[in-house]
Amino acid sequence: MDEKDLARSLLTRFEGLTELRRPWVDSWRELAEYMLPRKNSFLPTPATTFNRGRPGDERIFDSTPMHALEMLASSLGGLLTDPATTWFDIHARDPEIGDSAEVRTFLQQSRERMAAVFNSQDTGFQSNVHELYLDVALLGTAVMYVEADPEQTVRFSTRPLGEVFVAESPRGTVDTVYRRYEVPARQALREWGDRLSDETRRKGVESPDEPVEILHAVFPRTDRDPMGIGAANFPFASVYLEVATEHVLEESGYLEMPYLAPRWAKAAGETYGRGPGQTALSDTRVLNAMGRTALMAAEKMADPPLMVPDDGFLGPVRSGPGGLSYYRAGSSDRIESLPVRVDLAATEEMMNQRRDSIRRIFLGDQLAPEGPAVTATEAVIRQAEKMRVLGPVLGRLQTEFLSPLIRRVFRILLRAGELPRFPDGLAPDHIEVRYTSPMARARRQSEAQGLTRTMEYLAPLVGSGDPFGIMDNFRTDRVARHVAELFDTPSDYLKPEDEVAQGREGKAKAGQSAQTSRMVADVAAIAKTLSEAYTDRPNVLTELWGLLARRGRSGETPPPPTAEGAPFPGDAPSPEPMTGPEEAADAREAVHGD
């Protein structure tokens, strides 16, 4: 279709999405007014201009909900995307391919480069992901835009929910996002240049700061050739247009969905999510009403109403500090305060109950720091209990936000050439990039604790030499590699299995060579001892020599001597000891040969 038809089609779809979102706007506005006024992007158009510079806290009399929301968002950041830990993994789908040293090094370097992107201040991930956690906890729905950037490779931006309109696929995932926003005319001129309409180009020159309303539509492309080349055949279409002039600015596409729209929880048949902010809204209303009433009561107690006689005083009554009020001399009339009886302690107790309820709704009891002096086993048990409570919530965030985020960033870096060179035999389809969830980390800690307890229990039976062969029941190589996986040991630290086998074979050969060398040295020492022995007086050696000489003359093989140096039973008696030099020479000749 031509540009005019495309623009009308997009605007018609946008009107339908606006009607579907309309029932949610009032509750979102109220949530923002009570808990986080700066997030109130649901005011009359233009929202950004109307809300700019306003504190927006006119309805807030107690800041407990704001603090609980901030604590929940901070806890989610430390739990899910902590910059001090590695919260994602890259591995080969085929274990045989992944065991190669070159592949392990490639995977580790790729993970380090991705971690550098997430932790870099230039990409803005950490600051924007905190805003996303605030949105999803308060409003139930949040949106982050992940785009390729020519300078920083990847750029992250959390968009206000007030400018975003979404739709779902039949599988329940967000596959359509329409974003209506405003930019100054000079920025639009810098971004699109001659592609702008004549009216907007004139604004860029004459009124550069006048806002221009832009609509960005991203939706699945149905009329594409999957085997085709070019943005027109990408899975997701992308169209920018000017709303006022219905002028298409840019038409392109994305290989992955650039807008990530996680929901905290979602009811059947609804598109937008519901978060703990909506659950705590009723308590928040009551708490602020009680806070306002308590302030009024305290003000009345501090400055109570006065009862003044109608004719006993001259001039106005001045109740301020150092004020003088004149009354007629001799009159018994006096100024009295109107009795105000308020139980502020009971009011404070009721408010504390509401505060505790709000903190529990925002998971303050589950995310509170652990007490001091706990054992490692107790810490693992506590962590497992927390994960059971937070599992459903964190599972949805992982499915709709964290896993697509990691895949999107990996593919952007891959297309930009920012990853190391692929080893031979490894293709992008052979790699799986996945998020390492807190539940998985807690499970690994539990497994590590179980392995430690098993070894501690078997240690007395194994001893120093394993006399019962207990360790024969274990595949020690698999245990060692599994332990390395449990503690997130970098993959390039481990040797491939074939290299380990070669190393062991080399050690065995070296051990055999060393044993042979020791035997040769022992034989040489014995020979040296024999050559230096005295043969001019009777001893065990002379007896042996005599036996060998006698056996040699008779042609018999001499048996080995007994422990005492005498022949075995049945042998002939030993000859007389040789004492002369001739006999000694004969014996040496019989032993050493010619």
Side-chain angles (χ1 to χ4, degrees):
M1 65 180 69
D2 60 13
E3 292 188 355
K4 285 296 182 181
D5 293 338
L6 176 61
R8 295 192 189 98
S9 174
L10 293 178
L11 291 174
T12 301
R13 178 76 187 278
F14 176 68
E15 292 176 359
L17 294 177
T18 302
E19 289 299 321
L20 291 175
R21 200 192 73 161
R22 193 180 305 278
W24 297 86
V25 174
D26 291 338
S27 63
W28 290 343
R29 183 184 299 116
E30 187 177 13
L31 284 168
E33 289 175 351
Y34 273 121
M35 300 184 193
L36 205 58
R38 67 180 179 85
K39 288 287 185 180
N40 193 359
S41 57
F42 313 101
L43 296 171
T45 305
T48 54
T49 304
F50 185 81
N51 199 35
R52 187 176 299 149
R54 295 178 62 249
D57 57 354
E58 294 83 3
R59 305 179 69 173
I60 297 177
F61 291 88
D62 194 295
S63 61
T64 299
M66 298 177 63
H67 181 258
L69 174 63
E70 291 282 355
M71 290 299 297
L72 175 57
S74 299
S75 299
L76 289 176
L79 189 64
L80 301 178
T81 53
D82 184 6
T85 62
T86 303
W87 42 272
F88 61 92
D89 188 25
I90 307 175
H91 69 281
R93 300 179 187 272
D94 188 351
E96 294 183 0
I97 296 178
D99 194 54
S100 168
E102 189 177 3
V103 172
R104 286 180 178 273
T105 301
F106 166 80
L107 296 177
Q108 181 62 25
Q109 292 178 354
S110 299
R111 185 167 70 167
E112 291 174 356
R113 294 194 182 184
M114 286 185 64
V117 169
F118 286 120
N119 297 333
S120 173
Q121 296 180 357
D122 297 330
T123 60
F125 174 75
Q126 291 297 333
S127 59
N128 281 277
V129 78
H130 179 71
E131 296 297 321
L132 179 136
Y133 291 141
L134 287 172
D135 285 344
V136 75
L138 175 63
L139 307 172
T141 305
V143 178
M144 174 178 281
Y145 181 47
V146 184
E147 63 176 333
D149 185 76
E151 297 180 0
Q152 305 301 330
T153 309
V154 185
R155 186 164 63 91
F156 305 92
S157 176
T158 298
R159 307 313 311 167
L161 189 57
E163 65 181 32
V164 176
F165 305 78
V166 303
E168 288 184 332
S169 69
R171 297 184 177 182
T173 59
V174 174
D175 66 346
T176 300
V177 173
Y178 278 58
R179 175 185 163 216
R180 182 185 62 189
Y181 63 102
E182 293 179 347
V183 295
R186 57 183 176 82
Q187 290 187 10
L189 185 61
R190 181 178 179 181
E191 180 73 18
W192 289 286
D194 294 338
R195 287 176 289 178
L196 292 170
S197 63
D198 296 338
E199 180 181 351
T200 304
R201 286 202 303 270
R202 184 171 58 253
K203 286 183 180 179
V205 176
E206 300 175 356
S207 305
D209 294 321
E210 185 175 347
V212 177
E213 192 172 8
I214 305 295
L215 179 65
H216 183 205
V218 178
F219 51 92
R221 195 188 296 275
T222 57
D223 55 344
R224 72 184 186 96
D225 180 8
M227 304 302 295
I229 300 176
N233 294 302
F234 286 174
F236 293 93
S238 171
V239 181
Y240 287 89
L241 64 88
E242 297 179 23
V243 176
T245 60
E246 300 184 3
H247 177 71
V248 175
L249 298 174
E250 178 183 346
E251 183 178 1
S252 59
Y254 294 100
L255 291 171
E256 307 91 24
M257 183 62 177
Y259 287 101
L260 308 177
R263 281 79 57 90
W264 183 275
K266 189 176 75 70
E270 293 181 347
T271 302
Y272 296 91
R274 298 175 182 268
Q278 289 180 317
T279 307
L281 182 57
S282 60
D283 283 333
T284 302
R285 292 193 193 106
V286 174
L287 178 62
N288 281 278
M290 294 172 66
R292 182 174 62 251
T293 303
L295 287 175
M296 294 172 59
E299 185 180 5
K300 285 184 178 181
M301 293 178 65
D303 188 11
L306 301 179
M307 296 187 297
V308 183
D310 58 353
D311 60 351
F313 283 79
L314 303 176
V317 176
R318 296 178 175 87
S319 60
L324 297 177
S325 299
Y326 298 93
Y327 65 95
R328 291 184 176 86
S331 174
S332 60
D333 295 332
R334 294 292 185 269
I335 300 175
E336 297 179 0
S337 61
L338 181 67
V340 178
R341 296 181 179 86
V342 179
D343 190 354
L344 291 180
T347 303
E348 184 66 20
E349 178 65 23
M350 294 173 63
M351 294 178 66
N352 286 333
Q353 292 177 1
R354 297 291 179 175
R355 293 188 183 110
D356 293 339
S357 175
I358 291 172
R359 293 190 184 100
R360 287 193 299 270
I361 292 172
F362 282 104
L363 305 178
D365 56 335
Q366 296 295 326
L367 299 173
E370 301 292 348
V374 296
T375 63
T377 302
E378 185 179 355
V380 171
I381 293 174
R382 290 184 178 182
Q383 184 72 6
E385 291 176 351
K386 288 183 178 180
M387 292 304 103
R388 282 194 292 269
V389 175
L390 299 175
V393 173
L394 302 184
R396 178 174 284 276
L397 289 178
Q398 176 181 346
T399 302
E400 296 187 346
F401 172 57
L402 296 167
S403 294
L405 169 71
I406 295 169
R407 290 194 295 268
R408 168 78 172 156
V409 172
F410 176 80
R411 290 168 183 172
I412 290 177
L413 294 178
L414 180 63
R415 291 191 290 267
E418 294 294 329
L419 296 179
R421 185 185 65 84
F422 271 72
D424 295 337
L426 184 69
D429 294 339
H430 298 160
I431 295 177
E432 182 179 0
V433 185
R434 63 184 179 185
Y435 172 71
T436 306
S437 67
M439 287 78 73
R441 293 197 293 268
R443 178 181 57 80
R444 289 203 301 264
Q445 291 177 2
S446 179
E447 290 182 9
Q449 192 70 18
L451 180 61
T452 302
R453 289 196 298 267
T454 300
M455 294 304 172
E456 290 176 353
Y457 183 81
L458 295 176
L461 300 176
V462 174
S464 59
D466 193 12
F468 304 106
I470 300 296
M471 295 305 297
D472 295 340
N473 294 279
F474 294 91
R475 298 171 58 189
T476 53
D477 284 354
R478 181 68 190 110
V479 171
R481 290 179 176 272
H482 186 56
V483 169
E485 294 174 359
L486 292 178
F487 292 102
D488 289 330
T489 304
S491 58
D492 56 348
Y493 285 11
L494 295 178
K495 293 181 179 180
E497 293 183 2
D498 55 351
E499 186 176 340
V500 173
Q502 293 175 4
R504 286 175 177 170
E505 184 178 356
K507 288 181 180 180
K509 292 181 179 179
Q512 293 177 358
S513 300
Q515 184 178 3
T516 303
S517 300
R518 286 194 299 268
M519 292 178 61
V520 171
D522 292 342
V523 171
I526 293 174
K528 183 175 183 296
T529 302
L530 290 175
S531 65
E532 296 175 353
Y534 291 99
T535 58
D536 56 351
R537 53 182 177 269
N539 54 38
V540 175
L541 184 59
T542 58
E543 294 287 338
L544 176 62
W545 282 342
L547 176 63
L548 293 175
R550 183 174 57 80
R551 295 290 187 184
R553 293 188 188 98
S554 62
E556 299 178 0
T557 301
T562 63
E564 289 79 9
F568 281 105
D571 288 342
S574 300
E576 294 297 328
M578 297 179 292
T579 57
E582 295 180 359
E583 291 82 353
D586 292 338
R588 286 194 297 271
E589 194 174 274
V591 173
H592 295 287
D594 293 336

